[in-house]
Amino acid sequence: MVTVRLENIVKRYDGDVLAVDNVSLDTEDGSFLTLVGPSGSGKSTILRMLAGVVTASEGRIMFGDKDVTDIPPQDRDVAMVFQNYALYPNMTVRENMEFGLKMQGVDADERRETVKEAAHLLQIQELLDRDVQQLSGGQQQRVALGRSVVRDPEVFLLDEPLANLDAKLRTEMRTTLVELQREIGVTTVYVTHNQIEAMTMSDKVAVLDKGRIQQLAAPQELYRNPANQFVADFIGTPSMNFLDVEARHADDAVRLTNEVFDISVPTDTATGVAIRDVTTDRGKSTLGIRPQDLVVSERGASEGYLAGQIEVVLIETAGDKLILHLEEGDIRVISVVNEQMSVEYGDKVNVTIDPERLHLFDPETGDALLS
Ligand code: ADP
């Protein structure tokens, strides 16, 4: 087990494409770090640099106290699992899992024992003598994980390993992977474009965009205190609502307004003071509200902080929740409410917002204004 550290890593492909732009990060020993971001944000490039199959243009990579920047892949103690399982097609599960150990010169008894343990962890004991071509996608992915685990690597690297599995299996494999990682306690770096995987599996998540880390934090912290509008938008389902607002200051309150919303936050609260301070020299701000925090009350009833009245234009059912699309003029927002709420198309509803749960961003830079 080691810590993994990237120091000011830059990667330029073929001179021109800046794939990774000065990334620094630190993992804890035995922790699960996820790199998440849209396609092309540099996730795989970082993972490949950790594996040693892509060379960094600038910067240093450390495993514990060891500088591995110039160490070739075969001399790094890493195991990598890809989305296409890359199993040896003409071998059995056992032969696939043993292969790396055999190459390392591990004797037959020890190989047998190690494979047995890994197969047990991954619940593929019954499959050991099957040909890998006879297995389902999910089973093949377990074998691919098993083959990596038996090598007892210092660092475990996973590149979208669940991408080819169907939705149900993917959810199951998430749990399997997290349990496996806890069990073997190996420092893991996981790449995905799926924010739900990142949020459910990781100790820490690095959100990437355009080759840069936008925020590195624990999942709850990303959700509660996104550092900027990119992270706020990327993390959470449905995505956060963003609205242009103007701040109006009075003696005892600060009001955030646009053509529909008028949110009044008393300045005898810490939040009110903070909002007043960050909006004092600013004409416009971008207000962020998670759909779960935009509270809809049925016609007529209003309580707490009335933010505005708005029409229901679309209702989506999602199990125990309803997703309401609300519109008035140019303003369009989404609210998630309890499935039992009685609401119909065309209703004008009141929306309220707890000021403690609102976010404000600089419209120019996208940086979060309230910490
Ligand atoms: P992600 O994994 O987040 O989708 P990548 O690390 O694959 O992102 O890619 C980051 C950027 O680097 C993209 O613009 C991509 O087109 C470019 N890139 C990736 N691999 C190569 C390569 N081998 N040669 C040139 N450009 C590449």
Side-chain angles (χ1 to χ4, degrees):
M1 269 205 290
V2 291
T3 56
V4 169
R5 192 159 81 241
L6 300 182
E7 294 176 7
N8 305 105
I9 288 290
V10 174
K11 176 63 191 178
R12 278 181 222 94
Y13 283 109
D14 302 329
D16 240 16
V17 184
L18 184 59
V20 176
D21 184 7
N22 198 16
V23 162
S24 297
L25 62 81
D26 245 320
T27 68
E28 276 162 41
D29 219 4
S31 70
F32 195 119
L33 169 76
T34 297
L35 309 177
V36 71
S39 175
S41 56
K43 309 178 295 288
S44 296
T45 300
I46 295 177
L47 205 72
R48 292 198 180 115
M49 287 191 281
L50 289 173
V53 293
V54 164
T55 323
S57 312
E58 290 172 36
R60 272 208 315 177
I61 301 173
M62 306 287 293
F63 288 177
D65 296 331
K66 198 166 52 185
D67 184 341
V68 298
T69 318
D70 298 316
I71 293 183
Q74 65 276 20
D75 298 330
R76 296 188 191 191
D77 198 359
V78 300
M80 190 151 170
V81 177
F82 303 92
Q83 61 174 280
N84 55 353
Y85 326 111
L87 296 172
Y88 305 111
N90 299 316
M91 294 186 189
T92 63
V93 169
R94 183 191 305 284
E95 286 163 347
N96 262 281
M97 287 175 68
E98 275 189 349
F99 191 77
L101 298 175
K102 221 170 179 171
M103 293 292 110
Q104 288 173 1
V106 176
D107 70 48
D109 284 349
E110 196 181 331
R111 287 203 307 263
R112 211 174 173 80
E113 199 49 39
T114 311
V115 168
K116 200 170 127 191
E117 272 173 39
H120 177 72
L121 276 177
L122 285 153
Q123 294 170 12
I124 48 174
Q125 302 97 308
E126 288 79 43
L127 304 179
L128 282 174
D129 294 313
R130 295 264 285 277
D131 195 296
V132 290
Q133 281 162 321
Q134 300 167 351
L135 306 182
S136 71
Q139 290 169 331
Q140 289 191 16
Q141 191 55 294
R142 281 173 197 265
V143 178
L145 289 169
R147 191 176 58 173
S148 304
V149 167
V150 293
R151 292 180 37 212
D152 191 21
E154 276 189 325
V155 182
F156 205 15
L157 304 173
L158 301 155
D159 193 353
E160 301 258 6
L162 312 184
N164 285 347
L165 306 179
D166 65 47
K168 185 166 181 295
L169 202 51
R170 204 152 62 207
T171 315
E172 264 173 48
M173 282 299 284
R174 280 202 316 240
T175 315
T176 305
L177 248 175
V178 171
E179 283 172 358
L180 177 71
Q181 197 269 343
R182 297 254 160 81
E183 188 81 26
I184 59 178
V186 62
T187 306
T188 298
V189 183
Y190 183 88
V191 160
T192 180
H193 64 275
N194 181 324
Q195 58 98 13
I196 297 174
E197 278 179 21
M199 294 294 277
T200 51
M201 296 172 75
S202 326
D203 296 313
K204 287 269 178 72
V205 178
V207 182
L208 285 149
D209 185 40
K210 300 190 179 76
R212 284 178 165 264
I213 293 185
Q214 302 296 318
Q215 189 169 5
L216 172 60
Q220 267 324 79
E221 177 67 12
L222 287 182
Y223 185 81
R224 287 198 191 127
N225 293 314
N228 58 39
Q229 211 177 325
F230 178 84
V231 176
D233 190 31
F234 195 78
I235 300 291
T237 334
S239 287
M240 188 183 277
N241 298 296
F242 297 107
L243 298 162
D244 292 332
V245 288
E246 206 123 12
R248 297 174 196 278
H249 295 188
D251 286 345
D252 55 353
V254 52
R255 284 164 56 198
L256 300 171
T257 62
N258 61 21
E259 50 186 291
V260 173
F261 287 83
D262 185 348
I263 304 164
S264 181
V265 190
T267 39
D268 61 0
T269 62
T271 307
V273 171
I275 294 173
R276 188 192 59 201
D277 288 350
V278 299
T279 54
T280 292
D281 297 320
R282 198 179 290 273
K284 283 196 184 330
S285 307
T286 303
L287 170 68
I289 310 163
R290 294 217 177 271
Q292 294 80 359
D293 296 334
L294 190 66
V295 179
V296 167
S297 44
E298 290 160 53
R299 225 175 329 204
S302 79
E303 54 188 64
Y305 297 85
L306 178 63
Q309 281 208 324
I310 193 160
E311 186 175 334
V312 178
V313 294
L314 184 71
I315 303 173
E316 293 175 79
T317 45
D320 61 340
K321 301 284 179 203
L322 297 177
I323 299 170
L324 306 182
H325 295 246
L326 310 166
E327 196 175 305
E328 200 72 59
D330 292 336
I331 308 273
R332 196 171 175 125
V333 286
I334 288 178
S335 166
V336 175
V337 300
N338 199 305
E339 172 268 331
Q340 275 155 9
M341 182 168 181
S342 72
V343 61
E344 288 172 27
Y345 294 104
D347 279 358
K348 275 241 180 192
V349 291
N350 291 324
V351 287
T352 59
I353 297 155
D354 177 351
E356 300 292 333
R357 306 192 69 96
L358 61 80
H359 302 261
L360 281 180
F361 302 94
D362 183 321
E364 304 290 322
T365 62
D367 288 342
L369 298 173
L370 300 169
S371 53

